[in-house]
Each structure stands twice: as C-alpha cells, then as structure tokens.
Amino acid sequence: MFAETIPTLSELAERSATRREFLIKASALGAITPFVMSACTDESAHNTAGQPTGSNATTVPQGGPGTAVRNPDSKLDTGGHANIHQSTARVANAQNVALHRFDPVLPPVASERTTRLQFTAQEVPIRISDDTVISAWTFDGDIPGPIVHVRQGDTVEFTLLNHGSIPHSMDFHAAQIDPKVAFRSANPGQPVSYTFKARYPGVYMYHCGTSPVLMHIGSGMVGAVVVDPTVPLPAAKEFVLVESEYYLGAAVAGAMPFDYTKMLATLPDYVVFNGRPTQYMTAPLKARVGDRVRFYVVNAGPTHPCNFHVVGEQFDTVYLGAPPTVPLRGVQTFAVAPGGGMVFEMLADVPGEFVFVNHGFGHGQKGAIGILTVES
Ligand SMILES: [Cu+2]
C-alpha cells in the first residue's frame, strides 16, 4: 500500500539529478544539527601500559605499527588517531568496486562441535548502490561480516587478524567471557585469539569493540551469530538480516567515509539490511506457499531500533531471546534494540510479494526495506 503513495529509495534516486539532491529528498528531515563531539581523541588520557592476562589471552597485542602502547581493554583504544572523525580505507580503486547482493540465506551449521573462525579486520571500499561507494571498516571485507552458524554448546575458537591501519577487536554477544581479556584490541599485524562456548541459543550481534565503539560499529564492523537450540526449531526457510545505519561524509577519491560527528547526531543517511539500501527490493528473498519463514534479525544500530514488520503478514512466533523460551504469538511489529537479536517466524500461506521493512518508516524509506516473494 505504501509503495503507491511513498516513493521508494530507488525511485527517489532515479528522480534526483544529483546525489546531494537525493540525500536531501531521502532524508526529508532538515539540516543536521551542528554537534560538538566528544573528547575521544585524547590518547594520553586513556592509555596505560597493561598487558592482557588470563587463560584466554593467547597473544600480546601491544606496540603494533603506527600505534602507541595501549590498554588491553579495547574500550580504551584507538583514541588519538587522526582519522577518528571519519573512517578511511584504501580507496584508490573505489570506482572499480563492484556492487553485489549480500546472500541473506542462513548457511548450514557445521557438523563438528568446534567451530574455528578466523576473521580479518580490513579497511576497504564497498559499493552499496550503483552510484555510491563507502569507505568501510569491515570483518573479511564486507558489511555485515560472515554469518556464523553454530549449535548450543558448541565451542568457538576465534582469531582476529588485523590487516587495517588502526586497532580493531571482536565482541561476540554470544560469548560469556571476560571482555577485558577476550575483547581487547588487536594492533595491526598482531592477531588476537580466544575461545568461548555458545551456551544459549538465539541470534546474536558481533562487533568491533574498540573505542570509540560508535565509530567502529558505525563504520561497518558488525555481523551475526546464529546459535541453534539443542532441540531444533521446525524446518523453515531461514534468512539473516543485519540492520545498520550509515552516516556518511563527502566523498574522498570516490568513496564516502563514515562521519563520527553525524553518528553522534544520530540522523542517518541510510538504514540498510545486510549492508546495502533496498538490495532485496530488486533481488527479493524467495519462499514457497507452505513454507515456514524464519528471519533472524540483528540490529547492529549503532543507535536506532529496528521495528521489524512484514506487510500483509503476521508473525505467529517471535523469540525475544533464546528459543524456545517464552515466544510471543501473533505479532505484527516488534522492535529489535540496537545490539539485540530476535527471531521472527511466519507461515507463508498466501502467495505474493511481501515487503519486510523497518516500520519506523523514516528508516524504511532510507533503505531498510525488501521483498519476500512467496511463490505458489
Ligand atoms: Cu574496529
């Protein structure tokens, strides 16, 4: 219904002569309030010379290239870098970066009970639409990072390599672990490893936790972990959607950097599922009549809720936390908090094109919208 009355983001783009005009139309929210940002750049105020300790501390991420000695607590790192106001990446070939659809299908769970993950922090340009390349910070070169799928009780052995230019780290919400040790920052060229057990089922965010966390989450270092319950959920078509907000500055060498001041002002240019605005409008998710459809929705934020809704459908089951504990029945819309993850299920009993959207429509219109096609 709304598509008849409100132009989509793609339509806005087609009608707009320039990118600036497009953004103004897409935002339709007035000027961004000038903002005085915090004092996160005062390195001397934050750093100490501590070393990581504890059984999970397998490397010593101190003194990497271009960095001072840092506190092992990643929340205190990164301050003092000149580029903290805007993300940077190797953008020499930004215009040659191809647009690709992020596959939202949940990958199969591994047969082994120990999953070994090695992610690489990479600062790279990513094309998010035909006319827009962003200068992102990533896990493994994409936004979101790889979808991780394990089972309750599985062990995850994780290593973060840092091929970037500043410290990065990894905070798995699925882990219960001393964050000061495990989530410490890895300096460039110096990996960090730790091991955790996925004790509770559900869908969980992961993100870089290096300070300022807002900048590292907001620049793309996010992803999802799906932990299957011991008693499997009913068979379903399973999709993973990671919503995130983009706050962008003027293009440099063909790529738009993320803007920390705009992140603090909390007025995003785009709100996206799996890294690209409206990507599933032109390349929908697919199901057949009779399928149970399960959406694992993570809201990476960094700031706003994801008010998840499917136009023309209702969720018969919503797991707010670990399934199968206390699901909600008969839900039209539910807000996933920033940093949260929820599981939404519906029975695809009617054929058609069903729009899934952040029903906070200012954000739906900024890109958090797609189509589930149900074929008979
Ligand atoms: Cu980071």
Short mmCIF file of all heavy atoms in Angstrom, two decimals, residues 78 121 123 137-139 160 162 166-170 185-186 207-213 215-217 219-221, ligand 1:
data_model
loop_
_atom_site.label_atom_id
_atom_site.label_comp_id
_atom_site.label_asym_id
_atom_site.label_seq_id
_atom_site.Cartn_x
_atom_site.Cartn_y
_atom_site.Cartn_z
N THR A 78 42.25 3.15 20.45
CA THR A 78 42.03 3.89 19.22
C THR A 78 42.09 5.40 19.38
O THR A 78 42.41 6.10 18.46
CB THR A 78 40.68 3.53 18.54
OG1 THR A 78 40.68 2.15 18.27
CG2 THR A 78 40.50 4.24 17.24
N ALA A 121 40.24 -8.11 10.04
CA ALA A 121 39.81 -6.71 10.02
C ALA A 121 40.42 -6.04 8.80
O ALA A 121 41.65 -6.06 8.63
CB ALA A 121 40.24 -6.00 11.30
N GLU A 123 40.07 -2.55 6.11
CA GLU A 123 39.52 -1.23 5.81
C GLU A 123 39.45 -1.12 4.29
O GLU A 123 40.48 -1.00 3.62
CB GLU A 123 40.39 -0.15 6.46
CG GLU A 123 40.43 -0.32 7.99
CD GLU A 123 41.66 0.28 8.65
OE1 GLU A 123 42.41 1.01 7.99
OE2 GLU A 123 41.88 -0.02 9.85
N TRP A 137 35.09 0.08 7.39
CA TRP A 137 35.89 -0.83 8.21
C TRP A 137 35.07 -2.12 8.32
O TRP A 137 33.87 -2.08 8.59
CB TRP A 137 36.14 -0.24 9.60
CG TRP A 137 36.92 1.04 9.60
CD1 TRP A 137 37.64 1.56 8.56
CD2 TRP A 137 37.08 1.94 10.70
NE1 TRP A 137 38.23 2.74 8.95
CE2 TRP A 137 37.90 3.00 10.26
CE3 TRP A 137 36.60 1.96 12.00
CZ2 TRP A 137 38.26 4.07 11.08
CZ3 TRP A 137 36.95 3.02 12.83
CH2 TRP A 137 37.78 4.05 12.37
N THR A 138 35.71 -3.26 8.13
CA THR A 138 34.94 -4.50 7.97
C THR A 138 35.61 -5.68 8.66
O THR A 138 36.80 -5.65 9.00
CB THR A 138 34.83 -4.88 6.48
OG1 THR A 138 36.10 -5.33 6.01
CG2 THR A 138 34.35 -3.72 5.63
N PHE A 139 34.83 -6.73 8.82
CA PHE A 139 35.35 -8.07 9.07
C PHE A 139 35.27 -8.83 7.75
O PHE A 139 34.18 -8.99 7.17
CB PHE A 139 34.55 -8.79 10.14
CG PHE A 139 34.68 -8.19 11.51
CD1 PHE A 139 33.61 -7.59 12.15
CD2 PHE A 139 35.91 -8.20 12.18
CE1 PHE A 139 33.73 -7.04 13.41
CE2 PHE A 139 36.05 -7.65 13.45
CZ PHE A 139 34.95 -7.06 14.07
N LEU A 160 41.26 -13.10 15.42
CA LEU A 160 41.12 -11.87 14.65
C LEU A 160 42.48 -11.45 14.15
O LEU A 160 43.40 -11.19 14.94
CB LEU A 160 40.52 -10.75 15.50
CG LEU A 160 40.41 -9.39 14.80
CD1 LEU A 160 39.42 -9.45 13.64
CD2 LEU A 160 40.01 -8.29 15.78
N ASN A 162 44.44 -8.51 12.05
CA ASN A 162 44.20 -7.09 11.77
C ASN A 162 45.07 -6.65 10.60
O ASN A 162 46.26 -6.42 10.76
CB ASN A 162 44.47 -6.24 13.01
CG ASN A 162 44.07 -4.79 12.79
OD1 ASN A 162 43.73 -4.39 11.67
ND2 ASN A 162 44.11 -3.99 13.85
N ILE A 166 44.62 0.69 12.08
CA ILE A 166 44.41 1.07 13.47
C ILE A 166 43.95 -0.17 14.24
O ILE A 166 43.61 -1.18 13.63
CB ILE A 166 43.34 2.19 13.60
CG1 ILE A 166 42.00 1.71 13.04
CG2 ILE A 166 43.81 3.46 12.90
CD1 ILE A 166 40.86 2.67 13.29
N PRO A 167 43.93 -0.11 15.56
CA PRO A 167 43.47 -1.28 16.32
C PRO A 167 42.00 -1.60 16.05
O PRO A 167 41.18 -0.72 15.83
CB PRO A 167 43.67 -0.85 17.78
CG PRO A 167 44.69 0.22 17.74
CD PRO A 167 44.46 0.96 16.44
N HIS A 168 41.70 -2.90 16.06
CA HIS A 168 40.33 -3.39 15.97
C HIS A 168 40.20 -4.56 16.94
O HIS A 168 41.21 -5.10 17.41
CB HIS A 168 39.99 -3.84 14.54
CG HIS A 168 39.98 -2.72 13.55
ND1 HIS A 168 39.05 -1.71 13.56
CD2 HIS A 168 40.81 -2.45 12.50
CE1 HIS A 168 39.29 -0.88 12.56
NE2 HIS A 168 40.36 -1.29 11.91
N SER A 169 38.96 -4.98 17.19
CA SER A 169 38.73 -6.06 18.15
C SER A 169 37.45 -6.79 17.80
O SER A 169 36.81 -6.48 16.79
CB SER A 169 38.65 -5.48 19.58
OG SER A 169 37.59 -4.54 19.66
N MET A 170 37.10 -7.76 18.62
CA MET A 170 35.87 -8.53 18.37
C MET A 170 35.13 -8.78 19.68
O MET A 170 35.69 -9.35 20.62
CB MET A 170 36.18 -9.87 17.69
CG MET A 170 34.95 -10.75 17.53
SD MET A 170 33.64 -9.99 16.55
CE MET A 170 34.16 -10.48 14.90
N SER A 185 41.89 -5.11 21.99
CA SER A 185 42.19 -4.74 20.61
C SER A 185 43.40 -5.48 20.08
O SER A 185 44.36 -5.75 20.81
CB SER A 185 42.43 -3.24 20.50
OG SER A 185 41.21 -2.55 20.61
N ALA A 186 43.32 -5.78 18.78
CA ALA A 186 44.47 -6.31 18.04
C ALA A 186 45.09 -5.16 17.27
O ALA A 186 44.42 -4.53 16.45
CB ALA A 186 44.01 -7.40 17.08
N HIS A 207 30.56 -7.48 16.99
CA HIS A 207 31.04 -6.17 16.51
C HIS A 207 32.42 -5.88 17.04
O HIS A 207 32.87 -6.46 18.04
CB HIS A 207 30.06 -5.06 16.94
CG HIS A 207 29.96 -4.86 18.43
ND1 HIS A 207 30.80 -4.02 19.12
CD2 HIS A 207 29.12 -5.40 19.34
CE1 HIS A 207 30.47 -4.04 20.41
NE2 HIS A 207 29.46 -4.87 20.56
N CYS A 208 33.09 -4.97 16.38
CA CYS A 208 34.35 -4.45 16.90
C CYS A 208 34.02 -3.60 18.12
O CYS A 208 33.10 -2.80 18.12
CB CYS A 208 35.04 -3.60 15.83
SG CYS A 208 36.59 -2.86 16.40
N GLY A 209 34.79 -3.82 19.18
CA GLY A 209 34.53 -3.09 20.42
C GLY A 209 35.58 -2.05 20.74
O GLY A 209 35.63 -1.55 21.87
N THR A 210 36.41 -1.74 19.76
CA THR A 210 37.47 -0.77 20.01
C THR A 210 36.89 0.64 20.09
O THR A 210 36.00 1.00 19.33
CB THR A 210 38.53 -0.87 18.90
OG1 THR A 210 39.13 -2.18 18.96
CG2 THR A 210 39.61 0.18 19.06
N SER A 211 37.40 1.40 21.01
CA SER A 211 36.88 2.73 21.26
C SER A 211 37.32 3.73 20.18
O SER A 211 38.45 3.66 19.72
CB SER A 211 37.38 3.22 22.62
OG SER A 211 36.91 4.51 22.88
N PRO A 212 36.43 4.65 19.83
CA PRO A 212 35.04 4.72 20.26
C PRO A 212 34.19 3.68 19.54
O PRO A 212 34.18 3.62 18.32
CB PRO A 212 34.62 6.14 19.88
CG PRO A 212 35.55 6.54 18.80
CD PRO A 212 36.83 5.80 18.98
N VAL A 213 33.50 2.88 20.32
CA VAL A 213 32.74 1.77 19.74
C VAL A 213 31.75 2.27 18.70
O VAL A 213 31.52 1.62 17.68
CB VAL A 213 32.01 1.00 20.87
CG1 VAL A 213 31.23 -0.16 20.30
CG2 VAL A 213 33.02 0.50 21.88
N MET A 215 32.10 4.52 16.54
CA MET A 215 32.76 4.69 15.25
C MET A 215 33.02 3.33 14.58
O MET A 215 32.83 3.18 13.37
CB MET A 215 34.08 5.44 15.44
CG MET A 215 34.79 5.78 14.16
SD MET A 215 33.88 7.03 13.22
CE MET A 215 34.86 7.08 11.71
N HIS A 216 33.42 2.36 15.37
CA HIS A 216 33.79 1.06 14.78
C HIS A 216 32.55 0.26 14.38
O HIS A 216 32.56 -0.40 13.34
CB HIS A 216 34.68 0.28 15.75
CG HIS A 216 36.07 0.83 15.83
ND1 HIS A 216 37.16 0.23 15.26
CD2 HIS A 216 36.54 1.97 16.41
CE1 HIS A 216 38.25 0.95 15.50
NE2 HIS A 216 37.89 2.03 16.20
N ILE A 217 31.49 0.34 15.19
CA ILE A 217 30.23 -0.28 14.76
C ILE A 217 29.67 0.48 13.58
O ILE A 217 29.27 -0.10 12.56
CB ILE A 217 29.21 -0.30 15.92
CG1 ILE A 217 29.65 -1.27 17.01
CG2 ILE A 217 27.82 -0.67 15.40
CD1 ILE A 217 28.73 -1.27 18.23
N SER A 219 31.03 2.17 11.34
CA SER A 219 31.79 2.09 10.10
C SER A 219 31.73 0.72 9.46
O SER A 219 32.41 0.47 8.47
CB SER A 219 33.25 2.50 10.35
OG SER A 219 33.32 3.85 10.76
N GLY A 220 30.95 -0.21 10.06
CA GLY A 220 30.69 -1.46 9.37
C GLY A 220 31.18 -2.72 10.02
O GLY A 220 30.97 -3.81 9.47
N MET A 221 31.81 -2.64 11.20
CA MET A 221 32.40 -3.84 11.79
C MET A 221 31.36 -4.57 12.64
O MET A 221 31.41 -4.58 13.88
CB MET A 221 33.64 -3.48 12.60
CG MET A 221 34.68 -2.74 11.75
SD MET A 221 36.27 -2.53 12.54
CE MET A 221 36.99 -4.15 12.26
CU CU B 1 37.31 -1.74 14.69
#
